[in-house]
Coordinates of all heavy atoms in Angstrom, one line a residue:
M1 N -9.9 -6.5 -0.5 CA -8.8 -7.5 -0.7 C -9.2 -8.5 -1.9 O -8.4 -8.8 -2.7 CB -8.6 -8.3 0.5 CG -7.9 -7.6 1.6 SD -6.2 -7.3 1.1 CE -5.4 -7.9 2.5
S2 N -10.4 -8.9 -1.9 CA -10.9 -9.8 -3.0 C -10.7 -9.2 -4.3 O -10.3 -9.8 -5.3 CB -12.3 -10.3 -2.8 OG -12.4 -11.0 -1.5
S3 N -11.2 -7.9 -4.4 CA -11.1 -7.2 -5.7 C -9.6 -7.0 -6.2 O -9.4 -7.2 -7.3 CB -11.8 -5.8 -5.6 OG -13.1 -6.0 -5.3
R4 N -8.7 -6.8 -5.2 CA -7.3 -6.6 -5.6 C -6.8 -8.0 -6.1 O -6.1 -8.1 -7.1 CB -6.5 -6.2 -4.4 CG -5.0 -6.2 -4.5 CD -4.4 -5.5 -5.7 NE -4.9 -4.1 -5.8 CZ -4.9 -3.5 -7.0 NH1 -4.3 -4.1 -8.1 NH2 -5.4 -2.3 -7.1
F5 N -7.2 -9.1 -5.5 CA -6.8 -10.4 -5.9 C -7.3 -10.7 -7.3 O -6.5 -11.2 -8.1 CB -7.3 -11.5 -4.9 CG -6.9 -12.9 -5.3 CD1 -5.7 -13.4 -4.9 CD2 -7.8 -13.6 -6.1 CE1 -5.3 -14.7 -5.3 CE2 -7.4 -14.9 -6.5 CZ -6.2 -15.5 -6.1
I6 N -8.5 -10.4 -7.5 CA -9.1 -10.6 -8.8 C -8.4 -9.8 -9.9 O -8.1 -10.3 -11.0 CB -10.6 -10.3 -8.8 CG1 -11.4 -11.3 -7.9 CG2 -11.2 -10.3 -10.2 CD1 -12.8 -10.9 -7.6
E7 N -8.1 -8.5 -9.6 CA -7.4 -7.7 -10.5 C -6.0 -8.2 -10.8 O -5.6 -8.2 -12.0 CB -7.3 -6.3 -9.9 CG -6.6 -5.3 -10.8 CD -7.5 -4.9 -12.1 OE1 -8.7 -5.2 -12.1 OE2 -6.9 -4.4 -13.0
D8 N -5.3 -8.7 -9.8 CA -4.0 -9.2 -10.0 C -3.9 -10.6 -10.8 O -2.9 -10.9 -11.4 CB -3.3 -9.5 -8.7 CG -3.0 -8.2 -7.9 OD1 -3.0 -7.1 -8.6 OD2 -2.7 -8.2 -6.7
H9 N -5.1 -11.3 -10.8 CA -5.1 -12.6 -11.5 C -6.0 -12.7 -12.7 O -6.3 -13.8 -13.2 CB -5.4 -13.7 -10.4 CG -4.4 -13.8 -9.4 ND1 -4.4 -13.1 -8.2 CD2 -3.3 -14.6 -9.3 CE1 -3.4 -13.4 -7.5 NE2 -2.7 -14.3 -8.1
R10 N -6.5 -11.6 -13.1 CA -7.5 -11.6 -14.2 C -7.0 -12.1 -15.5 O -7.8 -12.5 -16.3 CB -8.2 -10.2 -14.3 CG -7.2 -9.1 -14.6 CD -7.9 -7.8 -14.7 NE -8.6 -7.9 -16.0 CZ -9.2 -6.9 -16.6 NH1 -9.3 -5.7 -16.0 NH2 -9.8 -7.0 -17.8
D11 N -5.7 -12.0 -15.7 CA -5.1 -12.6 -17.0 C -5.1 -14.1 -16.9 O -5.0 -14.8 -18.0 CB -3.7 -12.0 -17.2 CG -3.8 -10.5 -17.5 OD1 -4.9 -10.0 -18.0 OD2 -2.8 -9.8 -17.3
A12 N -5.0 -14.7 -15.7 CA -4.8 -16.1 -15.6 C -6.2 -16.9 -15.5 O -6.3 -18.0 -15.8 CB -4.0 -16.4 -14.4
H13 N -7.2 -16.2 -14.9 CA -8.5 -16.8 -14.7 C -9.6 -15.9 -15.1 O -9.5 -14.7 -15.0 CB -8.6 -17.2 -13.2 CG -7.5 -18.0 -12.6 ND1 -7.3 -19.3 -13.0 CD2 -6.4 -17.6 -11.8 CE1 -6.2 -19.7 -12.3 NE2 -5.6 -18.7 -11.7
P14 N -10.8 -16.5 -15.4 CA -11.9 -15.7 -15.8 C -12.4 -14.9 -14.5 O -12.5 -15.4 -13.4 CB -13.0 -16.7 -16.2 CG -12.2 -17.9 -16.5 CD -11.0 -17.9 -15.7
V15 N -12.7 -13.6 -14.8 CA -13.2 -12.8 -13.7 C -14.4 -13.3 -13.0 O -14.5 -13.4 -11.8 CB -13.4 -11.3 -14.2 CG1 -14.1 -10.5 -13.2 CG2 -12.1 -10.7 -14.6
R16 N -15.4 -13.7 -13.8 CA -16.7 -14.2 -13.2 C -16.4 -15.5 -12.4 O -17.1 -15.7 -11.3 CB -17.7 -14.5 -14.3 CG -18.2 -13.2 -15.0 CD -19.5 -13.5 -15.7 NE -19.9 -12.2 -16.3 CZ -20.6 -11.3 -15.7 NH1 -21.0 -11.4 -14.4 NH2 -21.0 -10.2 -16.3
L17 N -15.5 -16.3 -12.8 CA -15.2 -17.5 -12.0 C -14.6 -17.1 -10.7 O -15.0 -17.6 -9.6 CB -14.3 -18.5 -12.8 CG -13.8 -19.7 -12.0 CD1 -14.9 -20.6 -11.6 CD2 -12.7 -20.4 -12.8
M18 N -13.6 -16.2 -10.7 CA -13.0 -15.8 -9.4 C -14.0 -15.1 -8.5 O -14.0 -15.3 -7.3 CB -11.8 -14.8 -9.7 CG -10.6 -15.5 -10.3 SD -9.2 -14.5 -10.4 CE -9.6 -13.4 -11.7
C19 N -14.9 -14.3 -9.1 CA -16.0 -13.6 -8.3 C -16.8 -14.7 -7.6 O -17.2 -14.5 -6.4 CB -16.8 -12.7 -9.2 SG -16.0 -11.2 -9.7
A20 N -17.2 -15.7 -8.3 CA -18.0 -16.8 -7.8 C -17.3 -17.5 -6.6 O -17.9 -17.7 -5.6 CB -18.4 -17.8 -8.9
V21 N -16.1 -17.8 -6.9 CA -15.3 -18.6 -5.9 C -15.1 -17.7 -4.6 O -15.2 -18.2 -3.5 CB -13.9 -19.0 -6.4 CG1 -13.0 -19.5 -5.3 CG2 -14.1 -20.1 -7.5
L22 N -14.8 -16.4 -4.8 CA -14.5 -15.5 -3.7 C -15.8 -14.9 -3.1 O -15.8 -14.1 -2.2 CB -13.6 -14.4 -4.1 CG -12.2 -14.9 -4.5 CD1 -11.4 -13.8 -5.1 CD2 -11.5 -15.5 -3.3
E23 N -17.0 -15.3 -3.7 CA -18.3 -14.8 -3.3 C -18.3 -13.3 -3.3 O -18.7 -12.6 -2.3 CB -18.6 -15.3 -1.9 CG -18.7 -16.8 -1.8 CD -19.1 -17.4 -0.5 OE1 -19.1 -16.6 0.5 OE2 -19.3 -18.6 -0.4
V24 N -17.9 -12.7 -4.4 CA -17.9 -11.3 -4.7 C -18.7 -11.1 -5.9 O -18.6 -11.9 -6.9 CB -16.5 -10.7 -4.9 CG1 -16.5 -9.3 -5.3 CG2 -15.6 -11.0 -3.7
S25 N -19.6 -10.1 -6.0 CA -20.4 -9.9 -7.2 C -19.5 -9.3 -8.3 O -18.6 -8.5 -8.0 CB -21.6 -8.9 -6.9 OG -21.1 -7.6 -6.7
A26 N -19.7 -9.7 -9.5 CA -19.0 -9.2 -10.6 C -19.2 -7.7 -10.7 O -18.3 -6.9 -11.0 CB -19.3 -9.9 -11.9
A27 N -20.4 -7.3 -10.5 CA -20.8 -5.8 -10.6 C -20.0 -5.0 -9.5 O -19.5 -3.9 -9.8 CB -22.2 -5.6 -10.4
G28 N -19.8 -5.6 -8.3 CA -19.0 -4.9 -7.3 C -17.6 -4.8 -7.7 O -16.9 -3.8 -7.4
Y29 N -17.0 -5.9 -8.3 CA -15.6 -5.9 -8.7 C -15.4 -4.8 -9.8 O -14.5 -4.0 -9.7 CB -15.2 -7.2 -9.3 CG -14.0 -7.1 -10.1 CD1 -12.7 -6.9 -9.5 CD2 -14.1 -7.3 -11.5 CE1 -11.6 -6.8 -10.3 CE2 -12.9 -7.1 -12.3 CZ -11.7 -6.9 -11.7 OH -10.6 -6.8 -12.5
Y30 N -16.3 -4.7 -10.8 CA -16.2 -3.8 -11.8 C -16.4 -2.3 -11.3 O -15.7 -1.4 -11.8 CB -17.1 -4.1 -13.0 CG -16.6 -5.3 -13.8 CD1 -17.3 -6.5 -13.8 CD2 -15.4 -5.2 -14.5 CE1 -16.8 -7.5 -14.6 CE2 -14.9 -6.3 -15.2 CZ -15.6 -7.5 -15.2 OH -15.2 -8.5 -15.9
A31 N -17.2 -2.2 -10.3 CA -17.4 -0.9 -9.7 C -16.2 -0.4 -9.0 O -15.7 0.7 -9.1 CB -18.6 -0.9 -8.7
W32 N -15.6 -1.4 -8.2 CA -14.3 -1.1 -7.5 C -13.2 -0.7 -8.5 O -12.5 0.2 -8.3 CB -13.9 -2.3 -6.8 CG -12.5 -2.3 -6.2 CD1 -12.1 -1.7 -5.1 CD2 -11.3 -2.7 -6.8 NE1 -10.7 -1.8 -4.9 CE2 -10.2 -2.4 -6.0 CE3 -11.0 -3.4 -8.0 CZ2 -8.9 -2.8 -6.3 CZ3 -9.7 -3.8 -8.3 CH2 -8.7 -3.4 -7.5
R33 N -13.2 -1.4 -9.6 CA -12.2 -1.2 -10.6 C -12.3 0.2 -11.3 O -11.3 0.8 -11.6 CB -12.3 -2.2 -11.7 CG -11.1 -2.4 -12.6 CD -11.2 -3.7 -13.4 NE -10.1 -3.6 -14.3 CZ -10.2 -3.8 -15.6 NH1 -11.4 -4.0 -16.1 NH2 -9.2 -3.7 -16.4
G34 N -13.5 0.7 -11.3 CA -13.7 2.0 -12.0 C -13.5 3.2 -11.0 O -13.5 4.3 -11.5
R35 N -13.4 2.9 -9.7 CA -13.2 4.0 -8.8 C -11.8 4.6 -8.9 O -10.8 3.9 -9.1 CB -13.4 3.5 -7.4 CG -14.8 3.2 -7.1 CD -15.0 2.8 -5.6 NE -16.3 2.2 -5.4 CZ -16.4 0.9 -5.0 NH1 -15.4 0.2 -4.6 NH2 -17.6 0.4 -4.9
P36 N -11.7 5.9 -8.6 CA -10.4 6.6 -8.6 C -9.6 6.1 -7.4 O -10.2 5.7 -6.4 CB -10.7 8.1 -8.6 CG -12.0 8.2 -8.0 CD -12.8 6.9 -8.4
V37 N -8.3 6.3 -7.4 CA -7.4 6.0 -6.3 C -7.8 6.9 -5.2 O -7.9 8.1 -5.4 CB -6.0 6.0 -6.7 CG1 -5.1 5.8 -5.5 CG2 -5.7 5.1 -7.8
S38 N -7.9 6.4 -4.0 CA -8.3 7.3 -2.8 C -7.1 8.2 -2.4 O -5.9 7.8 -2.7 CB -8.7 6.4 -1.6 OG -7.6 5.7 -1.1
A39 N -7.4 9.2 -1.7 CA -6.3 10.1 -1.2 C -5.4 9.4 -0.2 O -4.2 9.6 -0.2 CB -7.0 11.4 -0.6
R40 N -6.0 8.5 0.6 CA -5.2 7.8 1.6 C -4.2 6.8 0.9 O -3.1 6.7 1.3 CB -6.1 7.0 2.5 CG -5.4 6.3 3.6 CD -6.4 5.8 4.6 NE -5.7 5.1 5.7 CZ -6.2 4.8 6.8 NH1 -7.5 5.1 7.1 NH2 -5.6 4.1 7.7
T41 N -4.7 6.2 -0.2 CA -3.8 5.3 -0.9 C -2.6 6.1 -1.5 O -1.5 5.6 -1.5 CB -4.6 4.5 -2.0 OG1 -5.6 3.8 -1.3 CG2 -3.7 3.6 -2.8
T42 N -2.9 7.2 -2.1 CA -1.9 8.1 -2.7 C -0.9 8.5 -1.6 O 0.3 8.5 -1.8 CB -2.6 9.3 -3.4 OG1 -3.5 8.8 -4.3 CG2 -1.5 10.2 -4.0
T43 N -1.4 9.0 -0.5 CA -0.6 9.4 0.6 C 0.3 8.2 1.1 O 1.5 8.4 1.3 CB -1.4 9.9 1.8 OG1 -2.2 11.0 1.4 CG2 -0.5 10.4 3.0
N44 N -0.3 7.1 1.3 CA 0.5 5.9 1.7 C 1.6 5.6 0.7 O 2.7 5.2 1.1 CB -0.4 4.7 1.8 CG -1.3 4.7 3.1 OD1 -1.1 5.6 3.9 ND2 -2.2 3.8 3.2
A45 N 1.3 5.6 -0.6 CA 2.3 5.3 -1.6 C 3.5 6.3 -1.5 O 4.6 5.9 -1.6 CB 1.7 5.3 -3.0
A46 N 3.2 7.6 -1.4 CA 4.2 8.6 -1.3 C 5.0 8.4 0.0 O 6.3 8.5 -0.1 CB 3.6 10.0 -1.3
L47 N 4.4 8.1 1.1 CA 5.1 8.0 2.3 C 6.0 6.7 2.3 O 7.1 6.7 2.7 CB 4.2 7.9 3.5 CG 4.8 7.9 4.9 CD1 5.7 9.0 5.1 CD2 3.7 7.9 5.9
L48 N 5.5 5.6 1.7 CA 6.3 4.4 1.6 C 7.5 4.6 0.7 O 8.6 4.2 1.0 CB 5.4 3.3 1.0 CG 6.1 1.9 0.9 CD1 6.7 1.4 2.2 CD2 5.2 0.9 0.3
A49 N 7.3 5.4 -0.4 CA 8.5 5.7 -1.2 C 9.5 6.5 -0.5 O 10.7 6.3 -0.6 CB 8.0 6.5 -2.5
A50 N 9.1 7.5 0.4 CA 10.0 8.3 1.2 C 10.7 7.4 2.2 O 11.9 7.5 2.4 CB 9.2 9.4 1.9
I51 N 10.0 6.5 2.8 CA 10.6 5.5 3.8 C 11.6 4.7 3.1 O 12.8 4.6 3.6 CB 9.5 4.6 4.4 CG1 8.6 5.5 5.4 CG2 10.1 3.5 5.2 CD1 7.3 4.7 5.8
R52 N 11.3 4.2 2.0 CA 12.3 3.3 1.3 C 13.5 4.1 0.9 O 14.6 3.6 0.9 CB 11.6 2.7 0.0 CG 10.7 1.6 0.3 CD 10.1 1.1 -1.0 NE 9.4 -0.2 -0.7 CZ 8.4 -0.6 -1.4 NH1 8.1 0.0 -2.5 NH2 7.8 -1.7 -1.1
Q53 N 13.3 5.4 0.5 CA 14.5 6.2 0.0 C 15.4 6.5 1.2 O 16.6 6.4 1.1 CB 14.0 7.5 -0.6 CG 15.1 8.4 -1.2 CD 15.7 7.6 -2.4 OE1 15.0 7.1 -3.3 NE2 17.0 7.6 -2.4
V54 N 14.8 6.9 2.4 CA 15.6 7.2 3.5 C 16.4 5.9 4.0 O 17.6 5.9 4.3 CB 14.8 7.7 4.7 CG1 15.5 7.7 6.0 CG2 14.2 9.1 4.4
H55 N 15.7 4.8 3.9 CA 16.3 3.5 4.3 C 17.5 3.2 3.4 O 18.6 2.8 3.8 CB 15.3 2.4 4.4 CG 15.8 1.1 4.9 ND1 16.2 0.9 6.2 CD2 15.9 -0.1 4.3 CE1 16.6 -0.3 6.3 NE2 16.5 -1.0 5.2
Q56 N 17.2 3.3 2.1 CA 18.3 3.1 1.1 C 19.4 4.0 1.2 O 20.6 3.6 1.2 CB 17.7 3.2 -0.3 CG 18.7 2.8 -1.4 CD 18.1 3.0 -2.8 OE1 16.9 3.3 -3.0 NE2 18.9 2.7 -3.8
N57 N 19.2 5.3 1.4 CA 20.2 6.3 1.6 C 21.1 6.0 2.8 O 22.3 6.4 2.9 CB 19.7 7.7 1.7 CG 19.1 8.2 0.4 OD1 19.3 7.6 -0.7 ND2 18.3 9.3 0.5
S58 N 20.5 5.3 3.8 CA 21.3 5.0 5.0 C 22.1 3.7 4.8 O 22.8 3.3 5.8 CB 20.4 4.8 6.2 OG 19.7 3.6 6.1
G59 N 22.1 3.2 3.7 CA 22.8 1.9 3.4 C 22.1 0.7 4.1 O 22.7 -0.3 4.3
G60 N 20.8 0.9 4.4 CA 20.1 -0.2 5.0 C 20.3 -0.2 6.5 O 19.9 -1.2 7.1
C61 N 20.9 0.8 7.1 CA 21.3 0.8 8.5 C 20.2 1.3 9.4 O 20.0 0.9 10.5 CB 22.5 1.5 8.7 SG 24.0 0.8 8.0
Y62 N 19.4 2.3 8.9 CA 18.4 3.0 9.7 C 17.2 2.0 10.0 O 16.7 1.4 9.1 CB 17.9 4.2 9.0 CG 18.8 5.4 9.1 CD1 20.1 5.3 9.5 CD2 18.3 6.7 8.7 CE1 20.9 6.4 9.6 CE2 19.1 7.8 8.8 CZ 20.4 7.7 9.2 OH 21.2 8.8 9.3
G63 N 16.8 2.0 11.2 CA 15.6 1.3 11.6 C 14.5 2.3 11.6 O 14.6 3.5 11.3
S64 N 13.3 1.9 12.1 CA 12.1 2.7 12.1 C 12.3 4.0 12.9 O 11.8 5.1 12.4 CB 10.9 2.0 12.5 OG 11.0 1.5 13.8
P65 N 13.0 4.0 14.1 CA 13.1 5.3 14.8 C 13.9 6.4 14.0 O 13.5 7.5 14.0 CB 13.8 4.9 16.1 CG 13.5 3.5 16.3 CD 13.4 2.9 14.9
R66 N 15.0 5.9 13.4 CA 15.8 6.9 12.6 C 15.1 7.3 11.3 O 15.2 8.5 10.9 CB 17.2 6.3 12.4 CG 18.0 6.3 13.7 CD 19.3 5.6 13.5 NE 20.3 6.6 13.3 CZ 21.6 6.3 13.0 NH1 22.0 5.1 12.9 NH2 22.5 7.3 12.9
V67 N 14.5 6.4 10.7 CA 13.7 6.7 9.5 C 12.6 7.7 9.8 O 12.5 8.7 9.1 CB 13.1 5.5 8.8 CG1 12.1 5.8 7.7 CG2 14.2 4.6 8.3
H68 N 11.9 7.5 10.9 CA 10.8 8.4 11.3 C 11.4 9.8 11.6 O 10.9 10.8 11.2 CB 10.1 7.8 12.6 CG 9.1 8.7 13.1 ND1 9.2 9.3 14.3 CD2 7.9 9.0 12.6 CE1 8.1 10.0 14.6 NE2 7.3 9.9 13.6
A69 N 12.5 9.8 12.4 CA 13.1 11.1 12.7 C 13.6 11.9 11.5 O 13.4 13.1 11.4 CB 14.3 10.9 13.7
T70 N 14.2 11.2 10.5 CA 14.6 11.8 9.3 C 13.5 12.3 8.5 O 13.5 13.5 8.0 CB 15.4 10.8 8.4 OG1 16.5 10.3 9.2 CG2 15.9 11.4 7.1
L71 N 12.4 11.6 8.4 CA 11.2 12.1 7.7 C 10.6 13.3 8.4 O 10.1 14.2 7.7 CB 10.2 10.9 7.5 CG 10.6 9.8 6.6 CD1 9.6 8.7 6.6 CD2 10.9 10.3 5.2
R72 N 10.6 13.3 9.7 CA 10.0 14.4 10.4 C 10.9 15.7 10.2 O 10.3 16.8 9.9 CB 10.0 14.1 11.9 CG 8.8 13.2 12.3 CD 8.7 13.1 13.8 NE 8.4 14.4 14.4 CZ 7.3 14.7 15.0 NH1 6.4 13.8 15.1 NH2 7.1 15.8 15.5
V73 N 12.2 15.5 10.1 CA 13.1 16.7 9.9 C 12.8 17.2 8.5 O 12.8 18.4 8.3 CB 14.5 16.3 10.1 CG1 15.5 17.3 9.5 CG2 14.8 16.1 11.6
K74 N 12.6 16.3 7.5 CA 12.4 16.7 6.1 C 11.0 17.3 5.9 O 10.7 17.9 4.9 CB 12.6 15.5 5.2 CG 14.0 15.1 5.0 CD 14.1 13.9 4.0 CE 15.5 13.5 3.7 NZ 15.5 12.5 2.7
G75 N 10.1 17.0 6.9 CA 8.7 17.5 6.7 C 7.9 16.6 6.0 O 6.7 16.9 5.6
T76 N 8.4 15.4 5.7 CA 7.6 14.4 4.9 C 6.6 13.7 5.8 O 5.5 13.3 5.4 CB 8.6 13.3 4.4 OG1 9.6 14.0 3.6 CG2 7.8 12.3 3.5
W77 N 6.9 13.5 7.1 CA 6.0 12.8 8.0 C 5.2 13.8 8.7 O 5.7 14.6 9.6 CB 6.9 12.0 9.0 CG 6.1 11.1 9.9 CD1 5.3 11.5 11.0 CD2 5.9 9.7 9.8 NE1 4.8 10.4 11.5 CE2 5.1 9.3 10.8 CE3 6.4 8.8 8.9 CZ2 4.7 8.0 11.0 CZ3 6.0 7.5 9.0 CH2 5.2 7.1 10.1
R78 N 3.9 13.9 8.4 CA 3.0 14.8 9.1 C 2.1 13.9 10.0 O 1.5 13.0 9.5 CB 2.2 15.6 8.1 CG 3.1 16.6 7.4 CD 2.3 17.5 6.4 NE 1.3 16.7 5.6 CZ 1.6 16.0 4.5 NH1 2.8 16.0 4.0 NH2 0.6 15.4 3.8
Q79 N 1.9 14.3 11.2 CA 1.1 13.5 12.1 C -0.3 13.2 11.6 O -0.8 12.1 11.7 CB 1.1 14.2 13.5 CG 0.5 13.3 14.6 CD 1.4 12.1 14.9 OE1 2.6 12.1 14.7 NE2 0.7 11.0 15.2
E80 N -0.9 14.2 11.1 CA -2.3 14.0 10.6 C -2.5 13.1 9.5 O -3.5 12.4 9.3 CB -3.0 15.4 10.3 CG -2.4 16.1 9.1 CD -1.2 16.9 9.3 OE1 -0.7 16.9 10.5 OE2 -0.6 17.5 8.4
S81 N -1.4 13.0 8.6 CA -1.5 12.1 7.5 C -0.9 10.7 7.8 O -1.1 9.8 7.0 CB -0.9 12.7 6.3 OG 0.5 12.8 6.5
A82 N -0.2 10.6 8.9 CA 0.5 9.3 9.1 C 0.1 8.6 10.4 O 0.7 7.6 10.7 CB 2.0 9.6 9.2
A83 N -1.0 9.1 11.0 CA -1.4 8.4 12.3 C -1.7 7.0 12.1 O -1.5 6.2 13.0 CB -2.5 9.2 12.9
H84 N -2.2 6.6 11.0 CA -2.6 5.2 10.7 C -1.5 4.3 10.2 O -1.6 3.1 10.2 CB -3.7 5.2 9.7 CG -3.2 5.6 8.3 ND1 -3.1 7.0 8.0 CD2 -2.8 5.0 7.2 CE1 -2.6 7.1 6.8 NE2 -2.5 5.9 6.3
I85 N -0.3 4.9 9.9 CA 0.8 4.2 9.3 C 1.3 3.0 10.1 O 1.5 1.9 9.6 CB 1.9 5.1 8.9 CG1 1.4 6.1 7.9 CG2 3.1 4.4 8.4 CD1 0.9 5.5 6.6
P86 N 1.6 3.2 11.4 CA 2.3 2.1 12.1 C 1.5 0.8 12.1 O 2.1 -0.3 12.0 CB 2.4 2.6 13.6 CG 2.5 4.1 13.4 CD 1.6 4.4 12.2
G87 N 0.2 0.8 12.1 CA -0.5 -0.4 12.1 C -0.9 -0.9 10.8 O -1.4 -2.1 10.7
T88 N -0.8 -0.2 9.7 CA -1.3 -0.6 8.4 C -0.2 -0.7 7.3 O -0.1 -1.6 6.6 CB -2.4 0.3 7.9 OG1 -1.9 1.6 7.8 CG2 -3.6 0.2 8.9
L89 N 0.6 0.3 7.2 CA 1.5 0.4 6.1 C 2.8 -0.3 6.3 O 3.2 -1.1 5.5 CB 1.8 1.9 5.7 CG 2.7 2.1 4.5 CD1 2.1 1.7 3.3 CD2 3.1 3.6 4.4
V90 N 3.5 0.0 7.4 CA 4.8 -0.5 7.6 C 4.9 -2.0 7.7 O 5.7 -2.7 7.1 CB 5.5 0.2 8.7 CG1 6.9 -0.4 9.0 CG2 5.6 1.7 8.4
P91 N 4.0 -2.7 8.5 CA 4.2 -4.2 8.7 C 4.1 -4.9 7.4 O 4.9 -5.9 7.2 CB 3.0 -4.5 9.6 CG 2.8 -3.3 10.4 CD 3.0 -2.2 9.4
E92 N 3.3 -4.5 6.5 CA 3.2 -5.3 5.2 C 4.4 -5.1 4.3 O 4.7 -5.8 3.4 CB 1.9 -4.9 4.4 CG 1.9 -3.5 3.9 CD 0.5 -3.1 3.4 OE1 -0.5 -3.3 4.1 OE2 0.5 -2.6 2.3
H93 N 5.3 -4.1 4.7 CA 6.5 -3.9 3.9 C 7.7 -4.0 4.8 O 8.8 -3.5 4.5 CB 6.5 -2.5 3.3 CG 5.3 -2.3 2.4 ND1 5.3 -2.8 1.1 CD2 4.1 -1.7 2.5 CE1 4.2 -2.5 0.5 NE2 3.4 -1.8 1.4
S94 N 7.6 -4.6 5.9 CA 8.7 -4.7 6.9 C 9.9 -5.3 6.4 O 11.0 -5.0 6.8 CB 8.2 -5.4 8.2 OG 7.8 -6.7 7.9
K95 N 9.8 -6.2 5.5 CA 11.0 -6.9 4.9 C 11.9 -5.9 4.1 O 13.1 -6.0 4.0 CB 10.7 -8.1 4.1 CG 10.1 -9.2 4.9 CD 9.7 -10.4 4.0 CE 9.1 -11.4 4.9 NZ 8.4 -12.5 4.2
V96 N 11.2 -4.9 3.6 CA 11.9 -3.9 2.8 C 12.4 -2.8 3.7 O 13.6 -2.3 3.5 CB 10.9 -3.2 1.8 CG1 11.6 -2.1 1.0 CG2 10.4 -4.3 0.8
V97 N 11.7 -2.4 4.7 CA 12.1 -1.3 5.5 C 13.0 -1.6 6.7 O 13.9 -0.9 6.9 CB 10.8 -0.6 6.1 CG1 11.1 0.5 7.0 CG2 9.9 -0.1 5.0
S98 N 12.8 -2.7 7.3 CA 13.6 -3.0 8.5 C 14.9 -3.7 8.3 O 15.5 -3.8 7.3 CB 12.9 -3.9 9.5 OG 12.5 -5.1 8.9

């Protein structure tokens, strides 16, 4: 979380200052920055895009049960890749999805 915050605000504040305030090493931040995007992050982004599309196609009427059912029918929602979603992905985007 700290690294994401630093990345998002690096144009407004010096990186080393933010690292000091957030008690994160600058080396750790730069190491994080150089890492490739994880498979889970990629899967989450694709699933979130699919959720948004189904919700938009329904005219904003579908709630989570119907969105879930639609994604299962389309084959977009796979249990093994989405088991973590209810507790992590959807709540942070609930204003968009619900």
Side-chain angles (χ1 to χ4, degrees):
M1 287 292 232
S2 297
S3 295
R4 171 57 44 206
F5 179 86
I6 293 168
E7 183 68 18
D8 292 344
H9 296 89
R10 59 182 284 191
D11 292 335
H13 306 288
V15 169
R16 291 201 181 274
L17 175 63
M18 288 189 287
C19 287
V21 169
L22 296 171
E23 298 179 351
V24 175
S25 73
Y29 162 71
Y30 286 113
W32 169 84
R33 197 165 172 236
R35 288 187 197 119
V37 176
S38 71
R40 184 169 178 164
T41 300
T42 304
T43 299
N44 284 354
L47 187 54
L48 181 59
I51 290 168
R52 285 181 170 156
Q53 188 63 50
V54 169
H55 186 65
Q56 182 180 2
N57 290 349
S58 74
C61 294
Y62 282 11
S64 60
R66 289 175 97 184
V67 169
H68 178 248
T70 302
L71 293 174
R72 284 185 63 114
V73 167
K74 289 182 173 185
T76 305
W77 188 281
R78 293 183 314 278
Q79 192 62 34
E80 66 278 0
S81 66
H84 65 282
I85 297 301
T88 59
L89 180 66
V90 176
E92 65 190 52
H93 299 284
S94 61
K95 292 179 182 168
V96 174
V97 177
S98 58

